[in-house]
């Protein structure tokens, strides 16, 4: 069965709805959500409702999700992100805390793949994999052939044999069974690779390939909601630039 992989929704419900239209087209499929359902955006409640309604799902805990549950985690955030998390906590009023605790895992690991929000070496530290050096450290420290991660908001594949590879939307990237891969599907709700479209990925185990997809959504409406909610305007502006 195909696996629908997405990450870093960050409370952006219009981006999530656009991505879920594609999800329904390939359904039945599995869902791997790589973390950060909330933070930055104006619709944490609606995003969690939609994510938790999906069958055959695995949910990874992101640093923003964790911060909703654990006060001490919020101290590491920059000022604007801290403001957004406080707003999110006030908006959710604990409604999803039980579901978070029950469903969100720091890592998922099975015969097929490993998954974490940031580096899987110490998943609770949420370290970024931003460079070949970081990727090499992960390849050395962990045993996997496929590892899915989010957190950087930049879609990319690191190969063990041959460094990083950019993915072309819509074009399957074939995985060599003898190689190893760290794969990031980019971000649904706060892309940071210069492309403002929502990003997600489909993994086809039968073809042993991943395909990146991008889809457009109503950025203007989503940005207006961020400003109207009184959240830092920077989070709305970033939606337009995708950076
Ligand atoms: Zn994130």
């Amino acid at each position: 069965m195909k696996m629908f992989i997405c990450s870093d929704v960050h409370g952006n419900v219009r981006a999530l709805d656009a991505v879920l239209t594609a999800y329904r087209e390939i359904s039945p499929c599995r869902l791997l959500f790589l973390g950060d359902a909330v933070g930055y955006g104006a619709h944490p409640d609606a995003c969690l409702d939609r994510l938790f309604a999906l069958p055959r799902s695995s949910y990874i805990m992101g640093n923003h999700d964790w911060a909703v549950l654990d006060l001490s985690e919020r101290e590491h955030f920059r000022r604007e992100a801290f403001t957004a998390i406080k707003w999110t906590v006030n908006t959710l009023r604990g409604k999803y805390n039980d579901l978070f605790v029950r469903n969100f895992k720091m890592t998922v690991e099975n015969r097929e793949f490993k998954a974490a929000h940031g580096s899987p070496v110490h998943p609770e530290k949420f370290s970024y994999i931003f460079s070949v050096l970081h990727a090499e450290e992960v390849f050395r420290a962990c045993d996997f052939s496929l590892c899915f991660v989010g957190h950087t908001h930049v879609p990319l594949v690191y190969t063990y044999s041959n460094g990083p590879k950019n993915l072309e939307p819509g074009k399957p990237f074939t995985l060599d069974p003898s190689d190893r891969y760290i794969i990031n599907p980019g971000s649904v709700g706060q892309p940071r690779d210069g492309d403002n479209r929502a990003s997600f990925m489909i993994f086809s185990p039968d073809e042993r390939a991943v395909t990146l997809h991008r889809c457009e959504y109503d950025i203007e409406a989503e940005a207006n909601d961020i400003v109207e909610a009184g959240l830092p305007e920077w989070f709305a502006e970033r939606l337009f630039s995708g950076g």
Side-chain angles (χ1 to χ4, degrees):
M1 186 180 278
K2 285 185 178 173
M3 188 161 71
F4 194 91
I5 307 170
C6 63
S7 189
D8 294 279
V9 170
H10 285 291
N12 184 336
V13 74
R14 289 177 183 85
L16 180 59
D17 280 343
V19 160
L20 290 181
T21 301
Y23 168 92
R24 278 186 281 277
E25 277 165 22
I26 67 152
S27 195
C29 58
R30 296 174 286 166
L31 174 88
L32 176 62
F33 174 65
L34 293 165
D36 280 356
V38 302
Y40 306 142
H43 300 287
D45 197 329
C47 289
L48 287 165
D49 261 349
R50 284 161 173 71
L51 286 170
F52 282 132
L54 300 172
R56 298 175 293 275
S57 301
S58 303
Y59 304 99
I60 299 279
M61 181 82 82
N63 49 322
H64 290 253
D65 306 319
W66 203 14
V68 167
L69 290 174
D70 183 350
L71 261 174
S72 62
E73 270 306 302
R74 294 174 217 163
E75 289 159 14
H76 306 299
F77 281 66
R78 282 197 297 182
R79 194 162 50 86
E80 288 94 346
F82 183 79
T83 304
I85 282 297
K86 264 198 318 201
W87 180 91
T88 303
V89 170
N90 286 337
T91 301
L92 294 178
R93 299 186 180 282
K95 183 176 164 193
Y96 295 93
N97 285 13
D98 284 353
L99 283 169
F100 266 129
V101 170
R102 251 185 291 140
N103 293 308
F104 276 58
K105 309 272 184 274
M106 293 308 290
T107 56
V108 168
E109 192 159 10
N110 55 40
R111 260 186 321 115
E112 226 177 349
F113 64 86
K114 190 179 184 81
H117 184 60
S119 165
V121 179
H122 298 289
E124 71 290 348
K125 289 187 179 166
F126 299 109
S127 305
Y128 290 92
I129 305 174
F130 256 141
S131 67
V132 174
L133 279 180
H134 296 155
E136 281 173 356
E137 186 190 310
V138 174
F139 281 126
R140 257 198 313 275
C142 303
D143 182 25
F144 60 83
S145 57
L146 268 182
C147 180
F148 295 106
V149 298
H151 202 27
T152 63
H153 300 207
V154 175
L156 194 65
V157 172
Y158 287 100
T159 69
Y160 183 69
S161 63
N162 207 12
K165 303 275 174 222
N166 282 313
L167 297 169
E168 207 180 302
K171 194 171 168 214
F173 180 91
T174 307
L175 305 167
D176 178 347
S178 63
D179 206 349
R180 302 174 66 200
Y181 300 91
I182 299 167
I183 303 176
N184 191 319
S187 166
V188 172
Q190 275 274 338
R192 289 180 194 159
D193 61 327
D195 183 335
N196 63 15
R197 294 174 298 171
S199 189
F200 64 95
M201 186 176 269
I202 295 169
F203 170 48
S204 310
D206 294 344
E207 287 105 57
R208 213 175 155 75
V210 289
T211 309
L212 181 75
H213 295 272
R214 305 301 288 251
C215 56
E216 290 182 1
Y217 69 97
D218 190 344
I219 294 179
E220 187 129 14
E222 198 66 30
N224 282 342
D225 287 353
I226 289 177
V227 175
E228 266 171 37
L231 285 157
E233 291 194 15
W234 164 237
F235 299 137
E237 285 159 21
R238 283 190 102 168
L239 295 182
F240 292 99
S241 62

